[in-house]
Amino acid sequence: MDSDADACGRICYEGFRTVNERYGFPPLFPSVEAATQRVGGFIRHPSVFGVVAEADGRVVGFNFLSERDPIRAVGPIVIDPNTQGRGVGRQLMEAVLERARGARGVRLLQDTFNTQSFSLYAALGFDAREILFVLSGTPQATPPPHWQIRVMTQSDIAGCESLHEAVHGYTRTNELRDALTTGTPIVALRDGRVRAYMAAPTIWLANHGVAETEEDMRALLLGAPRITKQPISCLMPARRGALFRWCLTEGYRATKPMTLMTIGEYREPQGSYFPSVLY
């Protein structure tokens, strides 16, 4: 309910701040207001299922499940720091997994350094699939001249849908339509065809992207900052060694490790990609 937004926003800010600072990382959200805005958007979204945990009439935790596309996405899940260690997180996870029963698959991203949450998700049936790093930066080089890098339009959706399905085996079309409505997704075209895209270039929390090849992804990562006029922020798979090293030489910096975990259907990506945490 909208009436839960303020309480959940405070918990979101304090919960992530407490865990991140414990391990030497900056807060996930810059303020309570920013966290409340993000949580409020999920509460109001018709295709996002949310649950809260209460104790003595007070909200002490929450969890969300995005049902926008075939593979469901969990998160954010946050527990009030004063209530952690009492099994609330497990109950919230069990609630959204029950909701996701029958879906093709479920995914989430967790902070790699948080062994407590990793253990919980593994115990609930999630398998670790990929180690990722948050990258942020503004490269100085420019993409080759035969590339067209521009803001995505409605007419690009079909090409982006086909591209994501070719790489991952499922679509994120509804999520991409949301990004087109609320942000500035970017596409990279060569020979008149979409070869790569990213959904939310400056916000790694919501940014996902795919490309046919590493060359295509490099062109996108070079061209996007010319449009946004801000640093690009995304999650990059660590095992993509050549692409990861290239990002570092171009001025991108790794700031935080995360782990992709899944239940149910999962296919090894067939191209170049970076997932998003969705929150």
Side-chain angles (χ1 to χ4, degrees):
M1 297 185 297
D2 276 345
S3 59
D4 292 323
D6 288 343
C8 291
R10 179 191 59 77
I11 291 170
C12 187
Y13 175 76
E14 292 294 342
F16 278 119
R17 182 186 63 80
T18 300
V19 173
N20 278 265
E21 289 184 352
R22 181 186 306 156
Y23 293 96
F25 293 93
L28 187 61
F29 294 98
S31 65
V32 173
E33 290 75 19
T36 301
Q37 182 178 14
R38 176 67 67 178
V39 171
F42 277 96
I43 291 174
R44 293 186 292 273
H45 198 292
S47 295
V48 176
F49 172 75
V51 290
V52 298
E54 291 186 339
D56 300 322
R58 180 175 64 90
V59 174
V60 296
F62 63 89
N63 196 7
F64 290 104
L65 179 74
S66 174
E67 301 176 318
R68 286 177 281 190
D69 292 304
I71 302 298
R72 307 302 195 228
V74 176
I77 172 172
V78 191
I79 314 302
D80 188 313
N82 296 319
T83 311
Q84 291 180 1
R86 303 179 189 177
V88 175
R90 174 179 286 273
Q91 293 179 63
L92 288 170
M93 283 298 300
E94 289 173 343
V96 299
L97 289 177
E98 177 61 30
R99 172 78 177 195
R101 187 184 298 275
R104 287 170 53 181
V106 182
R107 71 179 187 275
L108 60 78
L109 281 156
Q110 70 89 220
D111 292 322
T112 305
F113 50 81
N114 189 343
T115 56
Q116 184 176 5
S117 68
F118 183 91
S119 298
L120 171 60
Y121 303 148
L124 290 171
F126 282 88
D127 293 321
R129 300 294 188 178
E130 192 93 71
I131 299 298
L132 313 151
F133 278 87
V134 178
L135 292 184
S136 181
T138 305
Q140 299 305 307
T142 59
H146 58 279
W147 283 94
Q148 181 186 12
I149 315 293
R150 59 166 172 77
V151 174
M152 185 186 297
T153 67
Q154 190 68 36
S155 63
D156 297 317
I157 290 291
C160 294
E161 178 180 56
S162 297
L163 181 57
H164 194 281
E165 187 162 26
V167 173
H168 287 289
Y170 68 94
T171 64
R172 290 175 76 164
T173 307
N174 292 324
E175 183 187 337
L176 194 56
R177 291 186 189 280
D178 283 351
L180 191 61
T181 300
T182 61
T184 309
I186 294 175
V187 292
L189 296 92
R190 182 163 50 86
D191 300 326
R193 183 162 63 85
V194 175
R195 304 299 181 105
Y197 78 83
M198 61 174 68
T202 63
I203 308 171
W204 69 267
L205 290 169
N207 196 11
H208 80 270
V210 291
E212 290 185 0
T213 67
E214 287 195 1
E215 177 190 358
D216 302 331
M217 184 61 79
R218 291 180 185 187
L220 179 66
L221 289 168
L222 290 176
R226 273 77 198 158
I227 298 172
T228 63
K229 310 301 182 185
Q230 299 179 52
I232 299 302
S233 185
C234 63
L235 282 162
M236 182 64 64
R239 65 170 165 162
R240 301 283 179 171
L243 182 60
F244 195 94
R245 285 188 290 272
W246 175 87
C247 287
L248 297 178
T249 61
E250 288 296 332
Y252 286 95
R253 291 293 174 262
T255 60
K256 175 176 159 179
M258 302 197 77
T259 303
L260 172 66
M261 306 185 75
T262 70
I263 285 178
E265 180 180 320
Y266 177 79
R267 191 186 81 176
E268 285 290 322
Q270 302 301 304
S272 185
Y273 78 105
F274 47 88
S276 78
V277 73
L278 261 183
Y279 51 81

